[in-house]
Amino acid sequence: MSPPSPQPRPPARIAHFSDTHVLSLKGATLRDFLNKRATGAVNLALNRAKHYRVEVFEQLLDAVGAAAPTHSVCTGDLVNLALAPEFERVRELLTARFAPRDLTLVPGNHDYYTKEAALAGCFEEAFAEYLPQDLPPADGARYPVTRLLGAGGGGGGGGGGAGEGGEPVAVVGLSSAIPTASFMATGELGAAQRARALELLADPALRGRFKLLMLHHPLFPDPARRLEATRRLRDAEALVAALDAPGAPAPDLVIHGHNHAFKRQALPRSGVPVVQVASASRAGRERAEFHVYVVEGGALARVERHVHDPASGRFVVCDESGAPALC
C-alpha cells in the first residue's frame, strides 16, 4: 500500500504597510527644531498634517488584523520628524496589536530625520522587539534583520497561523535610512550591508524558503516624480546588479515604500517582482492602503491591495488594478 500523498502547506499571507508618518508634538520644545526639523515643520504645516492622518493608520492596523496575516512587515517612515513622542505614539499603536513575533520593521528616512535621532538609535530603541535577527550577520551589524517563518522558523507567526508546516518564508530587511540635509530624502545601503544581504540570501537556512527582501527606498528611479533626484536610493543600481546577476542568490520578492503609491515592477534579468506600497495613513484623493502577499508553492500567487474607503473607514480588498476583488 503506497503512503498517503503529502498534504499541501497552508499559504503564507504577508501583510505589508509603510509610510505612516505619525506626528506628535507633545512635549516638543523650540530647541527640538533648531535643525532639519525647522524646514520639516513648514512642510508639515502646509502639507503633511492635512494628508497623513493617525486615525486612518489606526483603521489600517485594525484591518491588517482582520486580514489574518501569517506575518506583517513595515518598510519604514513610521514617524514624521523623529521626535521622541512620535516614537512613543507609534510604539503604543503597534504593541497594542502585534506580539514581537508578529511584525518585522525596517527604518525609513523620516525615522532618521535628524543626525541626532539616528546616532541615538531612537528607532532601534523604540522598536527593538520588531527587529529580529534569526540569522545574525557575521560581523554583528544591526542590519539586515532576518525572520524565519513556518517549517520550524524561529520567528513564529501571527493571526493567520505560520507555525510548523506552514509555507516557509524568510524575511530579510535592509536599512536604507540615513540622515540627510534639509530638502533631501535620499537613502543608502552601503557596500557592507549589500554584501551581508547576499550572504544571508545564500545561507543554507534559506534553502527551500520563499525569500522576501524589504527596504524603504525604491530600487528604480521614478522620473515622473517631482524632485526625484532628492529621493533616490543612492546605491540602487549596485543593489539591482548584485541581486540580478546570473547565479546570484536572488530573492523571490522585493518590497518597499517611500513614494506613497502602488507600483509593480521587476528585476530586469530575472523578472523577480518588485512591489511598492502606498502610504498607510494617506487621507484624501490618494488613499491609504496595505498589501497582502499570498505565497503558495514557494511562489508569489497574488498581491491583494487593501484600499481605504474614506466614507466607511474600512479597507476594501482590491486586485492589482485597484478593482474590488470578488471574494
Side-chain angles (χ1 to χ4, degrees):
M1 184 175 180
S2 60
S5 301
Q7 294 297 310
R9 294 189 177 106
R13 291 174 54 81
I14 309 299
H16 172 210
F17 60 93
S18 191
D19 296 86
T20 62
H21 294 290
V22 169
L23 169 70
S24 177
L25 300 177
K26 181 180 179 181
T29 67
L30 179 61
R31 185 173 182 177
D32 291 323
F33 290 87
L34 300 179
N35 48 37
K36 181 181 176 179
R37 291 193 187 107
T39 55
V42 174
N43 183 31
L44 183 67
L46 297 178
N47 181 28
R48 288 185 177 273
K50 296 181 290 186
H51 297 301
Y52 301 93
R53 311 296 299 181
V54 69
E55 61 269 23
V56 174
F57 179 38
E58 292 183 88
Q59 292 167 357
L60 178 139
L61 290 175
D62 292 339
V64 167
T70 297
H71 191 70
S72 298
V73 299
C74 175
T75 49
D77 275 7
L78 285 157
V79 300
N80 209 317
L81 301 174
L83 291 162
E86 294 177 342
F87 287 110
E88 292 169 7
R89 178 67 175 129
V90 177
R91 177 174 167 76
E92 290 173 359
L93 293 171
L94 296 182
T95 56
R97 294 167 173 86
F98 297 101
R101 68 182 182 276
D102 295 339
L103 176 65
T104 302
L105 308 176
V106 292
N109 52 289
H110 276 265
D111 303 313
Y112 279 29
Y113 200 73
T114 66
K115 184 177 182 180
E116 294 80 7
L119 291 176
C122 295
F123 178 90
E124 288 75 18
E125 181 179 359
F127 307 121
E129 61 200 300
Y130 301 125
L131 299 170
Q133 288 192 326
D134 288 352
L135 296 174
D139 60 2
R142 173 68 273 181
Y143 298 99
V145 297
T146 47
R147 178 88 71 176
L148 303 183
L149 303 167
E164 299 294 333
E167 188 77 29
V169 174
V171 177
V172 178
L174 308 180
S175 174
S176 60
I178 56 172
T180 59
S182 296
F183 308 111
M184 298 294 289
T186 49
E188 187 170 8
L189 300 169
Q193 189 179 186
R194 295 197 309 270
R196 288 192 295 267
L198 293 177
E199 290 171 3
L200 286 168
L201 289 169
D203 193 293
L206 272 61
R207 189 173 299 127
R209 293 179 177 274
F210 181 89
K211 296 182 284 293
L212 185 154
L213 185 68
M214 57 186 280
L215 72 164
H216 179 70
H217 286 81
L219 271 62
F220 305 110
D222 187 355
R225 287 192 66 88
R226 188 170 61 91
L227 303 176
E228 158 66 17
T230 69
R231 302 177 51 80
R232 293 180 179 178
L233 180 65
R234 294 174 182 172
D235 51 354
E237 290 185 4
L239 177 63
V240 170
L243 295 176
D244 213 27
D252 297 295
L253 171 65
V254 182
I255 62 173
H256 64 85
H258 190 56
N259 279 342
H260 304 178
F262 170 75
K263 182 177 287 190
R264 178 164 178 162
Q265 298 171 285
L267 295 182
R269 187 195 65 83
S270 64
V272 168
V274 178
V275 181
Q276 173 178 283
V277 70
S279 164
S281 65
R282 184 80 178 183
R285 184 173 57 85
E286 296 178 6
R287 295 186 289 166
E289 72 174 66
F290 69 94
H291 296 165
V292 174
Y293 306 113
V294 181
V295 178
E296 295 180 315
L300 178 65
R302 63 185 179 276
V303 177
E304 294 177 2
R305 296 177 61 195
H306 295 243
V307 181
H308 187 245
D309 173 19
S312 67
R314 306 179 78 167
F315 280 76
V316 179
V317 183
C318 301
D319 62 22
E320 291 189 43
S321 72
L326 300 177
C327 59

